[in-house]
Amino acid sequence: MDKNQAKKMSAEAADREAAIAGRPSTPPQTSWFEFLLEESLLEKHLQKPSPDPPPVMLIVHFLEQASKPLVNEQNQVQPPLDNKKNRTLKLLALKIAAHLKWDLETLEKSLSVPVLNMLLNELLCVSKVPPGTKHVDMDLTSLPPTTAMAIILYNRWAIRTIVQSTFPLKPVKPGPPQLSVINQMQQEKELTDNILKVLKEQAEDSILVLEAALQMQKDLYIHTMRTLDLLAMDPGTLNGETENSTAGLRISSEEIQCQVSYDLGTMYFQQGSSDSSAYEKAREKIFRTKELVSKIGSVSVHCTIDEKRLAGYCQACGVLAPPSDMPSSQGSLYSVIHNCLRSGNCQPIVKIFLEDNQTNSLPDQFRQSVLRELFQKAQQGGDSLADVCFKVCACNTVRDILQGRPISVQFNQLFLKPNKDKIEFLLEVCSRSLKLDQASDALKQTMAAFLKNLCLSLEDLQFVFMISSHDLFIKLLKDDERKLLLDQMRKRSPRVNLCTKPVTSFYDIPASASVNIGQLEHQLILSVDPWRIRQILIELHGMTNERQFWTVSNKWEVPNIYGGIILGIKDNLAKDLVYILMAKGLHCSAVKDFVRAKQIFSACLELVTEFSPKLRQIMLNETLLLDVRTHEARAGPSGERPPAELISRIRGYLEMRLPDIPLRQVISEECVAFLLNWRENDYLTLHVPVSLVQNNPYVKLGQLLAATCKELSGPESRRTAKDLWEVVVQICSVSNQHKRSNDGRVSLIKHRDSNLGIMYRSELHAFIKKLREPLVLTTLLSLFVKLHNVREDIVNDITAEHMSIWPTSIPNLQSVDFEAVAVTMKELVNYALTINSSNHSWLIIQADIYFATNQYSAALHYYLQAGAVCSDFFNKSVPPDVYTDQVIKRMIKCCSLLNCHTQVAILCQFLREIDYKTAFKALQEQNSHDAMDSYYDYIWDVTILEYLTYLHHKRGETDKRQIAIKAIGQTELNSSNPEDVLQLAAQRRKKKFLQAMAKLYF
């Protein structure tokens, strides 16, 4: 070697050393990465506090260089060579990963899926895992420790990648468009998608491998930089050191169990969305991870678990799969709340939050998330949730106040229009949340300040009086504070005469009898305790005998038929007490506070039994109505049957013939509806007295409905249906009256409510709204649909079940108010769908109604919903009796009138005989409002695809023609395939198309 060559090599080495040390050097003639190919330089670089470039960047570069394809002289791309340089590059990448202790958290954050896939495959290769061998077929216990650990690491990454792919990604902010960058990103995305597809296909195998790893109770080892150096040496000099149990970094069995349990738990949790039983497995693995994390603690070097995310999984598993052996645990509370939100019965949430204000067991974030979900459900049309939203918000607000947080905006919005019920509930929350005997002075002052500010924010002095007279308010505020508050309210009131003369304070006015009477009357209005009401009336009657206290509130109302009997009571105290108890009991029943209504009615019954048999029977009748409503509210559509005693009382009421007892129509109405809802058809058809049928229209209508329902598929169906038909036609008929005008001409006046029917239409509507038995509702629906279709000017018939049992004509069409029939039919189907929104027959009727009234988008919504509910959202085939040819043709017409012509062509395939004429005509339209060529994958009929190819060729639409050709070229559409293969291909395309349509129209 001459002196010049030696000097040159010395200068290059000095430059590399200077570069690694971070010192300035002469400009290098080679890149950073070529410097680091020397292993001594790489190790020095990795030992720096913050190496630049970072280790993960080196992994990417080394693997890219090692996998770079070759291009020969003929510009043909060839795979990379398996030479020493490429093997060295891969080894260096593995050594850097070993330096990072194979931490998947770090590697996943910095490396793309293709790079990490390449890295872990190289780890499998150097760990002596034969390529092409299924990991699930290998016995981990018999493998060398480093080999077993490499397999576990790869399969952990596989299921972690699958889980990560289901998470939403924040969109990357696009920079200036560069063609090379876009092409590179597209290639990487395609490669990632292909890898994900393979990983998902092998997911079950990966789960089995990791489940087997959990059965191992021994420590394992993973490659370090040293063991990787040994692998690069001559195999003859190794003496089996990398095969023994002490080579590499030791990973304890508890660390392995912890990591594998966590990864399996997240995988099972992700599968729970399609298989609810997977949540049980997820809970087991996640809770096991939590135990191991608390046991390992900060001692572990290799095991890194995100404890915040782990806590979130624990909470979610506690909600979705609570432990069965912990009925009163916090997890079961989460589960109850979750089930309430899912079922729509959200009242129990209020009770849970009210109790939690005392125990503070639920986290604030969870309580806020429940409130947000309730708000969202209320905004989507759940009007009944408004009260629940306020109550939950009130519980959260009081919790915030006691913990020193400000009042939320939601509470201020919900409290813009306060009422008596809201204030009563808010005071109850405050009383139960603040334990006065245990609360600190600071908490008491905080609550007192809240109540004072609440009073100042109210304009109605009646509400202010409710708060200021409450026990909690009196205990929290001193006399001088209450006096000051009332002075402030007086100054703010617009009714105060602002004169120079000082106003006398309320507390300076001596108490008088009138003041006491006013206070007692106010308590009488607010109280619902029957014994407290009795005590107040006794006190009032002791002060004056000149007043009738049943007139104190104009909100107290009793039915007119009862009013005369009650006001005929000679004793004034008894009269006031019976009237007020009856009014308050009826009000509580109307607002569905059945417990309080029962208490009030029981007290009133006990009172009137002593002096009035007539009032006693009235109270028994009202108690029966209350018991019917209570059972209906408690049992729901599929609850337990009513007790025989209640059925017996209903029969006794209907058959009762006491001449002096006034009977309310609503009681008969709800009793007959109750018998129909609980399928007491035998009584209504066989045992009900004839005189009762003749005198009670509801019993007659109920008997006809019960008889028709019993004989729907029997030989007598037409006879019973004819009787019901005639009764309903009479109810829907109109009466005509002639009137002579001043000029002598006779004009025709049409009265919409005829006296010919057994009841008025409004009464029929009210009765129908009390029915919830599906068979009864189906029968009524088919009747009104048939009656609607009888019209001569009807363009589009509406279809329903059991249409053949009804008469086909009416002698006098002009006598029927078909407008009222249409309104009744629409109201009935809307009501029926509130009872069961998954009844496909009712959904088809609703769709037909929208179709007949030219509301095509709404019609498609309900046609698709009908198919979805009976096919598990189109994962199964829709029964042919649901999607008949008529339904499909109406869907085709809807799409056509909505200018969705490609959808028309696809739906033409659904007919028993494909309608090529309509399909071809639709495809010729060029102003289609649907996705056009993106729908071609849903076409399975080759004739239609060939026509599309011809059409696009004729129009010069090359891109669309290629899409059509690609669709034809799918092997499963080959006409030579067996019939079952063709049917399966058609079924798959039907499913995907209908699901896409559902997402579009739902």
Side-chain angles (χ1 to χ4, degrees):
M1 182 183 300
D2 60 12
K3 290 182 179 181
N4 292 332
Q5 189 176 2
K7 187 182 293 185
K8 181 179 179 184
M9 290 180 64
S10 173
E12 289 178 356
D15 286 344
R16 289 196 297 270
E17 289 290 348
I20 294 300
R23 299 191 305 270
S25 65
T26 57
Q29 301 299 317
T30 55
S31 70
W32 273 98
F33 301 105
E34 290 178 353
F35 282 162
L36 299 175
L37 280 174
E38 295 188 19
E39 296 170 18
S40 59
L41 297 182
L42 176 63
E43 292 184 13
K44 287 181 182 179
H45 181 72
L46 294 176
Q47 289 168 4
K48 293 172 63 178
S50 54
D52 183 25
V56 288
M57 186 177 175
L58 295 175
I59 293 177
V60 174
H61 179 78
F62 289 151
L63 290 178
E64 284 180 350
Q65 292 296 319
S67 60
K68 185 179 293 184
L70 299 176
V71 181
N72 59 16
E73 295 177 354
Q74 288 77 27
N75 287 328
Q76 295 176 342
V77 178
Q78 296 179 345
L81 297 176
D82 185 18
N83 54 23
K84 183 177 180 181
K85 178 184 177 182
N86 286 344
R87 286 195 296 272
T88 303
L89 288 167
K90 293 176 183 178
L91 185 63
L92 289 173
L94 291 172
K95 289 177 71 174
I96 296 170
H99 171 75
L100 297 173
K101 294 185 173 60
W102 301 99
D103 184 1
L104 283 180
E105 289 282 345
T106 304
L107 294 173
E108 286 170 343
K109 287 178 183 176
S110 308
L111 299 180
S112 64
V113 170
V115 173
L116 193 47
N117 178 57
M118 194 186 311
L119 179 69
L120 292 176
N121 275 296
E122 288 302 323
L123 175 64
L124 293 174
C125 289
V126 300
S127 300
K128 305 294 192 295
V129 178
T133 305
K134 295 183 69 175
H135 296 171
V136 72
D137 297 334
M138 304 177 75
D139 183 9
L140 295 179
T141 57
S142 63
L143 296 175
T146 51
T147 305
M149 193 62 203
I151 291 174
I152 292 172
L153 188 68
Y154 176 83
N155 287 283
R156 277 186 56 219
W157 168 76
I159 64 173
R160 287 165 68 95
T161 305
I162 294 170
V163 172
Q164 287 288 339
S165 69
T166 63
F167 294 161
L169 296 177
K170 184 178 180 181
V172 180
K173 189 174 181 180
Q178 297 180 14
L179 187 59
S180 60
V181 174
I182 292 173
N183 290 339
Q184 185 178 355
M185 290 174 62
Q186 183 65 28
Q187 289 174 5
E188 185 173 332
K189 183 179 182 301
E190 291 177 0
L191 188 55
T192 302
D193 290 343
N194 291 334
I195 293 171
L196 268 174
K197 183 179 178 182
V198 174
L199 294 179
K200 287 177 181 177
E201 290 172 355
Q202 300 173 352
E204 291 303 321
D205 289 350
S206 295
I207 291 173
L208 291 174
V209 170
L210 296 181
E211 288 285 5
L214 290 178
Q215 306 303 318
M216 300 173 64
Q217 299 295 329
K218 66 176 185 179
D219 299 347
L220 295 178
Y221 293 80
I222 196 162
H223 283 295
T224 61
M225 296 182 75
R226 179 175 177 277
T227 59
L228 290 169
D229 278 335
L230 292 173
L231 288 172
M233 299 171 109
D234 185 3
T237 64
L238 294 182
N239 296 323
E241 184 178 354
T242 58
E243 303 294 330
N244 64 34
S245 60
T246 60
L249 175 65
R250 186 175 73 87
I251 313 296
S252 69
S253 63
E254 289 180 340
E255 290 179 289
I256 296 170
Q257 297 266 333
C258 184
Q259 290 178 317
V260 173
S261 294
Y262 178 73
D263 294 333
L264 277 174
T266 60
M267 185 65 178
Y268 287 138
F269 189 88
Q270 186 263 340
Q271 291 177 343
S273 58
S274 56
D275 179 12
S276 57
S277 62
Y279 286 129
E280 298 286 342
K281 299 178 184 177
R283 185 199 68 213
E284 176 191 347
K285 301 299 185 225
I286 293 294
F287 283 11
R288 174 62 177 158
T289 306
K290 188 177 180 183
E291 292 175 8
L292 290 169
V293 166
S294 59
K295 184 177 179 181
I296 297 171
S298 59
V299 179
S300 171
V301 178
H302 184 71
C303 180
T304 55
I305 302 290
D306 186 344
E307 296 196 26
K308 287 186 178 180
R309 184 173 285 272
L310 176 62
Y313 274 116
C314 287
Q315 180 174 318
C317 289
V319 172
L320 298 170
S324 57
D325 57 344
M326 299 171 65
S328 61
S329 66
Q330 187 186 33
S332 66
L333 274 184
Y334 289 129
S335 180
V336 170
I337 294 172
H338 174 73
N339 291 333
C340 289
L341 291 171
R342 187 168 54 185
S343 66
N345 178 24
C346 300
Q347 286 294 341
I349 298 177
V350 178
K351 183 180 178 182
I352 292 172
F353 274 41
L354 199 54
E355 293 174 354
D356 186 64
N357 272 27
Q358 303 172 29
T359 59
N360 291 335
S361 59
L362 295 175
D364 295 331
Q365 296 86 348
F366 176 73
R367 290 168 60 111
Q368 293 297 334
S369 68
V370 171
L371 180 59
R372 282 195 297 271
E373 188 162 350
L374 286 171
F375 271 125
Q376 186 177 3
K377 287 179 177 290
Q379 290 170 356
Q380 291 172 352
D383 296 336
S384 59
L385 291 178
D387 183 55
V388 177
C389 285
F390 170 75
K391 290 181 176 180
V392 171
C393 186
C395 291
N396 285 355
T397 299
V398 174
R399 172 91 160 258
D400 290 340
I401 290 164
L402 294 177
Q403 293 184 358
R405 290 190 291 271
I407 298 175
S408 65
V409 176
Q410 291 95 335
F411 177 78
N412 290 325
Q413 290 175 339
L414 292 173
F415 210 68
L416 283 175
K417 295 181 179 179
N419 56 37
K420 173 177 166 290
D421 294 334
K422 286 184 178 182
I423 292 175
E424 279 185 350
F425 181 78
L426 185 60
L427 290 171
E428 181 187 357
V429 176
C430 294
S431 301
R432 293 180 60 172
S433 302
L434 183 69
K435 300 175 182 177
L436 284 173
D437 53 342
Q438 302 175 8
S440 63
D441 292 339
L443 282 180
K444 291 179 182 178
Q445 291 174 4
T446 302
M447 182 60 74
F450 169 67
L451 293 176
K452 283 199 298 184
N453 290 331
L454 194 62
C455 287
L456 292 170
S457 66
L458 295 171
E459 296 181 1
D460 194 327
L461 292 179
Q462 181 185 358
F463 297 151
V464 176
F465 179 77
M466 284 178 62
I467 299 172
S468 61
S469 62
H470 195 270
D471 290 341
L472 180 64
F473 189 88
I474 294 170
K475 290 176 182 178
L476 289 176
L477 274 78
K478 298 177 182 178
D479 290 344
D480 55 344
E481 290 178 314
R482 294 201 301 275
K483 179 179 177 181
L484 180 62
L485 177 64
L486 288 173
D487 285 343
Q488 289 176 329
M489 294 297 298
R490 185 180 295 108
K491 291 175 183 177
R492 194 194 63 178
S493 174
R495 290 175 291 181
V496 173
N497 184 12
L498 298 177
C499 60
T500 56
K501 183 178 178 180
V503 180
T504 308
S505 171
F506 175 81
Y507 289 95
D508 296 336
I509 301 175
S512 63
S514 62
V515 174
N516 289 333
I517 289 175
Q519 291 176 345
L520 287 173
E521 286 179 344
H522 185 73
Q523 293 179 27
L524 186 64
I525 292 172
L526 298 181
S527 180
V528 288
D529 181 0
W531 307 113
R532 177 60 182 153
I533 293 169
R534 177 176 175 273
Q535 181 183 359
I536 293 171
L537 282 172
I538 290 172
E539 292 181 31
L540 287 169
H541 278 275
M543 293 179 180
T544 177
N545 290 324
E546 300 175 357
R547 296 278 306 275
Q548 291 183 332
F549 293 102
W550 63 270
T551 62
V552 166
S553 173
N554 59 1
K555 302 288 185 179
W556 294 337
E557 295 178 358
V558 298
N560 292 332
I561 57 174
Y562 297 161
I565 300 173
I566 296 173
L567 296 180
I569 299 173
K570 294 181 180 179
D571 182 75
N572 289 333
L573 175 60
K575 181 198 305 181
D576 288 340
L577 186 55
V578 173
Y579 190 97
I580 293 171
L581 288 178
M582 170 77 81
K584 285 181 176 285
L586 291 172
H587 172 73
C588 289
S589 176
V591 298
K592 298 186 178 180
D593 189 351
F594 300 123
V595 175
R596 283 181 175 173
K598 186 76 171 178
Q599 293 172 351
I600 294 171
F601 280 168
S602 298
C604 192
L605 177 62
E606 184 180 344
L607 173 65
V608 299
T609 301
E610 300 175 359
F611 62 87
S612 175
K614 188 180 293 186
L615 281 173
R616 178 182 179 275
Q617 188 58 52
I618 288 173
M619 289 312 305
L620 287 174
N621 295 344
E622 291 297 328
T623 304
L624 171 63
L625 177 60
L626 177 65
D627 290 343
V628 166
R629 288 175 174 174
T630 303
H631 188 274
E632 288 288 80
R634 187 190 307 121
S638 57
E640 60 182 26
R641 284 190 60 79
E645 175 265 340
L646 181 57
I647 297 291
S648 177
R649 286 167 58 199
I650 290 174
R651 293 179 181 181
Y653 172 79
L654 292 174
E655 297 171 14
M656 181 175 60
R657 285 293 168 265
L658 297 176
D660 296 335
I661 305 299
L663 301 177
R664 278 214 297 158
Q665 177 178 287
V666 68
I667 304 179
S668 297
E669 181 184 359
E670 296 209 16
C671 284
V672 173
F674 189 82
L675 293 175
L676 286 170
N677 288 337
W678 292 103
R679 297 171 292 282
E680 291 290 326
N681 295 335
D682 287 340
Y683 169 74
L684 288 169
T685 54
L686 302 176
H687 304 297
V688 66
V690 177
S691 59
L692 178 59
V693 175
Q694 293 173 348
N695 297 323
N696 192 320
Y698 293 102
V699 174
K700 182 174 182 179
L701 182 60
Q703 185 184 67
L704 292 173
L705 274 169
T708 306
C709 290
K710 282 180 65 176
E711 296 291 338
L712 268 182
S713 55
E716 298 292 320
S717 60
R718 289 182 178 275
R719 182 185 61 79
T720 56
K722 183 175 182 294
D723 295 338
L724 178 60
W725 171 272
E726 290 175 351
V727 167
V728 173
V729 167
Q730 281 188 339
I731 294 173
C732 296
S733 63
V734 293
S735 62
N736 298 329
Q737 179 180 349
H738 294 84
K739 182 179 179 182
R740 190 173 296 276
S741 60
N742 294 332
D743 58 0
R745 287 182 298 178
V746 176
S747 61
L748 182 64
I749 301 174
K750 192 179 263 191
H751 293 279
R752 290 301 180 190
D753 245 355
S754 170
N755 296 324
L756 299 175
I758 60 173
M759 62 180 68
Y760 292 114
R761 281 197 301 273
S762 59
E763 294 172 336
L764 176 63
H765 289 177
F767 179 71
I768 288 173
K769 295 295 177 65
K770 293 178 173 62
L771 300 172
R772 54 173 180 73
E773 166 60 27
L775 190 58
V776 176
L777 291 173
T778 299
T779 303
L780 279 171
L781 265 174
S782 66
L783 188 155
F784 278 101
V785 167
K786 184 67 176 180
L787 187 55
H788 174 270
N789 291 345
V790 166
R791 296 169 56 184
E792 295 175 347
D793 59 341
I794 192 75
V795 177
N796 295 305
D797 281 355
I798 297 169
T799 56
E801 294 180 312
H802 314 299
M803 294 282 282
S804 60
I805 66 174
W806 309 107
T808 56
S809 62
I810 299 174
N812 186 6
L813 283 173
Q814 287 74 26
S815 66
V816 178
D817 187 352
F818 285 104
E819 226 176 277
V821 170
V823 170
T824 305
M825 178 183 65
K826 292 174 185 177
E827 288 186 3
L828 180 54
V829 73
N830 284 329
Y831 169 71
L833 288 174
T834 63
I835 300 297
N836 182 6
S837 61
S838 299
N839 188 307
H840 63 82
S841 173
W842 300 346
L843 290 166
I844 290 290
I845 295 173
Q846 182 73 291
D848 283 348
I849 291 172
Y850 281 121
F851 180 81
T853 54
N854 303 329
Q855 300 178 68
Y856 302 113
S857 181
L860 274 175
H861 169 89
Y862 283 99
Y863 283 133
L864 289 166
Q865 193 172 344
V869 298
C870 59
S871 63
D872 189 19
F873 197 69
F874 305 111
N875 285 306
K876 302 172 185 175
S877 59
V878 181
D881 59 333
V882 177
Y883 275 4
T884 61
D885 272 6
Q886 180 180 346
V887 170
I888 298 298
K889 287 177 180 178
R890 292 189 171 187
M891 292 173 70
I892 289 171
K893 185 174 180 181
C894 289
C895 292
S896 177
L897 292 169
L898 291 171
N899 283 337
C900 296
H901 301 296
T902 315
Q903 295 172 8
V904 169
I906 296 172
L907 284 170
C908 287
Q909 302 173 108
F910 284 62
L911 296 168
R912 287 178 175 82
E913 293 185 6
I914 300 176
D915 187 354
Y916 289 112
K917 181 180 178 182
T918 304
F920 293 166
K921 184 178 178 182
L923 292 173
Q924 290 171 9
E925 299 285 345
Q926 294 192 4
N927 62 337
S928 186
H929 293 173
D930 56 24
M932 296 186 68
D933 50 340
S934 64
Y935 278 112
Y936 292 176
D937 285 338
Y938 302 136
I939 302 175
W940 64 87
D941 185 77
V942 177
T943 304
I944 294 177
L945 287 171
E946 288 174 345
Y947 181 77
L948 269 172
T949 307
Y950 159 76
L951 201 61
H952 290 313
H953 174 71
K954 183 179 177 183
R955 294 174 181 169
E957 297 168 342
T958 308
D959 294 342
K960 292 182 179 181
R961 179 173 175 272
Q962 288 301 319
I963 295 172
I965 291 173
K966 184 180 177 182
I968 295 176
Q970 297 178 72
T971 54
E972 56 188 356
L973 298 183
N974 193 320
S975 57
S976 302
N977 287 337
E979 185 62 29
D980 55 344
V981 174
L982 295 173
Q983 289 293 332
L984 181 60
Q987 196 58 45
R988 285 177 57 191
R989 284 161 174 75
K990 282 183 181 180
K991 165 192 165 182
K992 291 182 179 179
F993 173 69
L994 290 172
Q995 287 177 342
M997 287 276 284
K999 291 175 183 176
L1000 185 63
Y1001 288 99
F1002 280 6

